[in-house]
């Protein structure tokens, strides 16, 4: 009986301890928990004398403020995000989905998995306008029962290049000039004119598809080719596509310019307000499947990121829906610090030999370790919902040890006889692809850089073609003659009408204004009359007296 009373007394003391630690009256404190009694004035000698060094409250506050920003993402810096869930359909068309993958997230109809999505622009800075011509990022973190799965993609389904060794080059060409710090269309087309595989992506980027109206009404795509693996260790190649239930909307350059003059945060505001009002955006996740071989019957390599898989040969099969129903509570902690990696796969998924995927798999997670820190996966937005147990220790900003219950805290290695973590049992036969060949640097065989770009052009509606030609002409006008001629030649190989219309547009523009095209500099992608804008600011600026 006395033992029961002791237990009750200990429980009461615990409750009292919890109560004394609570801050029920909303008192402002320091990060050390000290009540702040004067948040308006620094400690000085007299009310106007020098500030003293023992201003702890001020020093803590200002030193944290100095460090409020982690390094900005090199790409995808401008972002917005939201929480939601993925709901599986539990099938693959008329077939059980287990025929293709053992990933638990897909198996059960109605099964919901928490998710977080980050939308972004690619090239421009963290506070840049959301109306700029630029691919849009569409990255999803699924918090599955087998750990996190990251699907890191874009709104456009193809990319500029097919080998990750060229990634720094294409991004450098799209980023601002290292001397002037201005994005320059001449630099962009200088690179692209020497990279024929970029024609397909350029056809999309300079069409209305290059400026989505908002994040809710744009597509998402995994872009890379992945694999699904079933219980028997058999694999198929897969591509992922998110289709917005809200429909798809894109902008012309003129419409984007008009919107930018009114609101350069329009897409972030649109997403936040829609969710706040209960108008939850939704996407259906569709998957294309292809047998895991070279597919020599195709005139392109299925691992080539510059190509689409034809829908008539490889139909889109819906496997679930993605719904966003909750806004972030804090932008920095969630949207800015969320970290994605193409290597973050769960059981039932695997990598293909897609050269872009192979390179991204190292680069993305390595970037987050540099940008956020070695322990970025301990942050709540990145942490798996599944219990994490690892022998990894230390590193900057580690604030806990990911031990399992009952684990011997003295043992941070494996194997061990002293009650430490042990390997998991196999969930199915391992996928063991066979490969042989010479180790060498060599391009893929079936490159075919023009056919799909031409098909995409011919599928465009007339107004989309008109917009594409206008945007290309406007951005090629400042380029050197040699670059213009190279690009015209590429476009003609895509489609004769395509190249001819660009060529005629450049001739008409040159004869209309009589300008020497070689003497000017290009401006940002999509922008026109950039030099006129500089002069207008100087001529129309209103004189003011100094104060």
């Amino acid at each position: 009986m006395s033992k029961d009373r002791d237990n009750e007394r200990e429980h009461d003391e615990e409750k009292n301890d919890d109560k004394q630690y609570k801050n029920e009256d909303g008192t402002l404190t320091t990060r050390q928990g000290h009540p702040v009694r004067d948040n308006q004035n620094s400690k000085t000698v007299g009310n106007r004398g020098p500030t003293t060094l023992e201003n702890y409250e001020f020093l803590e506050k200002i030193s944290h403020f100095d460090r409020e920003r982690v390094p900005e993402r090199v790409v995808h810096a401008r972002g917005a995000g939201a929480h939601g869930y993925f709901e599986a359909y539990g099938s693959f068309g008329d077939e059980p989905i287990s025929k293709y993958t053992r990933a638990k997230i897909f198996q059960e109809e109605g099964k919901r998995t928490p998710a977080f999505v980050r939308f972004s622009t690619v090239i421009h800075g963290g506070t840049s306008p959301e109306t700029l011509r630029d691919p849009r990022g569409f990255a999803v973190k699924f918090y599955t029962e087998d750990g996190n799965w990251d699907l890191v993609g874009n709104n456009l389904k193809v990319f500029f290049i097919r080998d990750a060794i060229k990634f720094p080059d294409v991004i450098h060409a799209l980023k601002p000039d290292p001397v002037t710090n201005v994005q320059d269309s001449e630099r962009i087309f200088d690179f692209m004119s020497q990279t024929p595989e970029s024609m397909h992506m350029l056809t999309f980027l300079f069409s209305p598809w290059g400026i989505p109206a908002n994040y809710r009404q744009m597509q998402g795509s995994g872009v890379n080719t992945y694999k699904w693996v079933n219980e028997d260790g058999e694999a198929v190649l897969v591509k992922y596509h998110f289709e917005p239930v809200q429909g798809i909307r894109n902008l012309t350059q003129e419409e984007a310019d008009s919107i930018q003059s009114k609101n350069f945060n329009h897409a972030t505001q649109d997403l936040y307000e829609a969710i706040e009002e209960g108008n939850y955006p939704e996407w259906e996740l569709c998957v294309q499947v292809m047998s895991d071989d070279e597919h020599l019957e195709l005139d392109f390599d299925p691992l080539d990121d510059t190509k689409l898989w034809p829908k008539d040969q490889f139909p889109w099969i819906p496997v679930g829906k993605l719904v966003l129903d909750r806004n972030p509570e804090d932008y920095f902690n969630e949207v800015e610090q969320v970290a994605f990696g193409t290597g973050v796969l769960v059981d039932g998924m695997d990598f293909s030999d897609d050269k872009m995927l192979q390179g991204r798999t190292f680069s993305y997670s390595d970037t987050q370790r540099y940008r956020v820190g070695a322990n970025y996966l301990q942050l709540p937005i990145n942490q798996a919902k599944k219990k994490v147990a690892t022998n990894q220790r230390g590193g900057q900003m580690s604030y806990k040890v990911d031990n399992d219950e009952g684990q011997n805290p003295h043992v941070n290695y494996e194997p061990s006889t002293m009650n430490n973590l042990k390997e998991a049992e196999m969930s199915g036969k391992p996928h063991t692809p066979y490969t042989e060949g010479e180790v060498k640097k060599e391009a893929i065989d079936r490159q075919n850089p023009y056919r799909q770009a031409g098909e995409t052009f011919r599928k465009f509606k007339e107004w989309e073609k008109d917009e594409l030609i206008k945007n290309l002409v406007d951005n090629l006008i400042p380029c050197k003659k040699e670059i213009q001629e190279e690009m015209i030649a590429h476009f003609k190989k895509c489609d004769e009408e395509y190249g001819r219309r660009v060529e005629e547009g450049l001739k008409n523009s040159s004869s209309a204004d009589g300008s020497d095209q070689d003497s000017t500099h290009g401006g940002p992608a999509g922008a026109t009359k950039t030099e006129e804008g500089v002069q207008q600011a100087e001529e129309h600026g209103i004189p003011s007296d100094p104060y």
Side-chain angles (χ1 to χ4, degrees):
M1 201 66 173
S2 64
K3 188 174 183 181
D4 290 340
R5 281 197 298 271
D6 289 342
N7 289 337
E8 288 178 12
R9 185 164 58 250
E10 287 178 11
H11 182 65
D12 290 341
E13 287 173 356
E14 286 177 5
K15 286 200 301 185
N16 290 333
D17 286 345
D18 288 342
K19 189 173 182 180
Q20 73 177 354
Y21 289 130
K22 287 181 179 177
N23 186 6
E24 294 178 339
D25 59 355
T27 299
L28 179 66
T29 74
T30 68
R31 297 301 290 269
Q32 301 281 13
H34 307 155
V36 176
R37 295 181 170 83
D38 185 349
N39 193 43
Q40 316 309 316
N41 305 291
S42 299
K43 188 179 292 186
T44 59
V45 179
N47 63 11
R48 57 187 300 273
T51 303
T52 62
L53 189 60
E54 71 269 19
N55 258 281
Y56 183 83
E57 291 177 4
F58 166 73
L59 293 176
E60 182 194 83
K61 185 177 180 181
I62 197 67
S63 61
H64 184 274
F65 176 78
D66 293 344
R67 294 162 175 80
E68 276 186 2
R69 298 293 177 264
V70 297
E72 187 174 278
R73 286 170 166 88
V74 177
V75 288
H76 299 277
R78 168 59 125 139
H83 298 268
Y85 62 87
F86 173 76
E87 183 173 314
Y89 293 163
S91 62
F92 190 82
D94 297 329
E95 300 178 291
I97 201 165
S98 58
K99 176 181 177 180
Y100 300 99
T101 178
R102 61 184 186 236
K104 294 175 184 175
I105 185 174
F106 297 119
Q107 302 302 320
E108 182 184 337
E109 182 180 1
K111 180 184 180 69
R112 289 188 175 185
T113 299
F116 185 85
V117 180
R118 187 178 189 271
F119 306 98
S120 57
T121 57
V122 175
I123 295 301
H124 305 284
T127 55
S128 57
E130 293 178 303
T131 47
L132 299 178
R133 186 169 301 282
D134 200 12
R136 301 302 193 269
F138 193 114
V140 189
K141 187 178 293 291
F142 302 88
Y143 302 94
T144 87
E145 62 191 282
D146 274 342
N148 290 349
W149 167 36
D150 289 353
L151 184 54
V152 195
N154 289 337
N155 66 315
L156 301 176
K157 301 180 183 300
V158 294
F159 200 58
F160 299 98
I161 53 173
R162 63 171 68 96
D163 191 317
I165 199 171
K166 296 303 298 175
F167 191 77
D169 296 301
V170 68
I171 297 302
H172 285 172
L174 291 163
K175 284 282 190 180
D177 183 311
V179 176
T180 67
N181 198 36
V182 175
Q183 190 186 38
D184 188 339
S185 61
E186 185 171 77
R187 299 176 71 250
I188 294 171
F189 285 108
D190 180 40
F191 175 85
M192 303 301 175
S193 69
Q194 305 304 305
T195 313
E197 68 208 64
S198 68
M199 295 305 120
H200 200 185
M201 181 66 163
L202 288 177
T203 301
F204 277 111
L205 184 62
F206 281 86
S207 78
W209 291 86
I211 312 179
N214 53 55
Y215 296 131
R216 292 182 304 111
Q217 294 175 298
M218 75 178 197
Q219 295 171 302
S221 171
V223 182
N224 295 121
T225 302
Y226 289 89
K227 286 183 183 180
W228 272 359
V229 181
N230 66 15
E231 288 283 347
D232 296 323
E234 300 164 337
V236 291
L237 302 177
V238 296
K239 275 187 178 286
Y240 299 100
H241 306 277
F242 289 99
E243 288 299 292
V245 175
Q246 300 76 233
I248 302 169
R249 288 183 178 271
N250 299 314
L251 298 173
T252 66
Q253 186 66 55
E254 185 178 358
E255 290 165 342
D257 292 343
S258 176
I259 292 168
Q260 183 174 322
S261 69
K262 300 177 179 68
N263 185 347
F264 67 90
N265 306 292
H266 79 283
T268 295
Q269 184 174 335
D270 172 83
L271 178 68
Y272 184 90
E273 290 180 350
I275 295 173
E276 199 73 3
E277 294 164 2
N279 181 22
Y280 302 142
E282 182 177 326
W283 289 260
E284 188 165 57
L285 176 58
C286 300
V287 174
Q288 289 178 289
V289 166
M290 185 186 294
S291 60
D292 184 15
D293 53 68
E294 293 185 42
H295 286 274
L296 296 177
E297 77 280 5
L298 301 174
D299 65 358
F300 67 94
D301 192 313
L303 303 183
D304 183 350
D305 287 345
T306 69
K307 303 295 190 294
L308 296 170
W309 291 4
K311 291 174 72 172
D312 58 343
Q313 294 175 260
F314 308 99
W316 290 17
I317 306 299
V319 297
K321 66 178 182 179
L322 175 69
V323 179
L324 300 182
D325 60 2
R326 180 164 62 89
N327 280 313
E329 293 181 5
D330 183 87
Y331 178 87
F332 179 81
N333 284 341
E334 295 161 77
V335 182
E336 185 63 19
Q337 292 201 123
V338 68
F340 300 92
T342 55
V344 185
L345 306 179
V346 293
D347 184 56
M349 303 176 186
D350 211 333
F351 305 97
S352 77
D353 294 328
D354 176 338
K355 292 185 180 184
M356 277 297 293
L357 174 61
Q358 296 279 323
R360 292 177 79 200
T361 294
F362 168 76
S363 176
Y364 274 59
S365 294
D366 185 57
T367 295
Q368 304 304 343
R369 295 183 190 102
Y370 158 74
R371 193 180 69 89
V372 184
N375 289 294
Y376 73 96
L377 291 173
Q378 290 187 348
L379 297 174
I381 190 64
N382 296 319
Q383 190 174 29
K385 303 292 184 188
K386 180 185 178 181
K387 170 64 179 172
V388 173
T390 174
N391 288 324
Q392 296 176 22
R393 296 289 187 272
Q396 186 180 27
M397 298 300 288
S398 175
Y399 71 94
K400 63 177 182 177
V401 177
D402 291 318
N403 280 343
D404 198 14
E405 293 181 14
Q407 179 184 346
N408 185 344
H410 298 282
V411 180
N412 60 346
Y413 51 86
E414 189 281 327
S416 168
T417 61
M418 298 191 295
N419 193 28
N420 191 38
L421 302 172
K422 59 183 182 297
E423 296 170 327
E425 295 180 1
M426 296 295 296
S427 58
K429 291 183 180 179
H431 174 51
T432 56
Y434 177 79
T435 183
E436 68 172 13
E438 298 174 342
V439 178
K440 55 186 175 181
K441 287 191 170 187
E442 190 173 273
I444 60 173
D445 293 326
R446 291 166 288 164
Q447 298 185 19
N448 204 346
Y450 303 115
R451 185 180 67 80
Q452 287 200 5
E455 288 177 348
T456 295
F457 174 77
R458 290 187 289 275
K459 288 177 182 177
F460 280 164
K461 299 171 184 175
E462 281 306 311
W463 75 270
E464 290 177 311
K465 288 183 180 179
D466 293 343
E467 182 71 9
L468 168 65
I469 301 301
K470 177 182 180 298
N471 292 330
L472 285 171
V473 169
D474 286 343
N475 283 266
L476 280 166
I477 285 173
C479 297
K480 293 179 180 177
K481 204 76 172 176
E482 296 87 340
I483 295 173
Q484 293 178 352
E485 290 172 352
E486 286 267 14
M487 292 305 302
I488 290 168
H490 287 310
F491 293 143
K492 284 184 175 179
K493 290 177 183 177
C494 297
D495 181 273
E496 195 282 328
E497 177 196 349
Y498 189 177
R500 175 176 51 78
R501 289 183 63 178
V502 173
E503 184 176 34
E504 291 172 352
L506 286 169
K507 286 180 180 177
N508 293 336
S509 297
S510 177
S511 60
D513 59 20
S515 62
D516 179 1
Q517 294 169 350
D518 288 347
S519 67
T520 60
H521 295 284
T528 59
K529 302 179 180 178
T530 53
E531 190 64 34
E532 183 180 313
V534 174
Q535 295 171 357
Q536 185 177 342
E538 180 180 3
E539 293 170 2
H540 295 276
I542 301 171
S544 300
D545 295 327
Y547 62 88

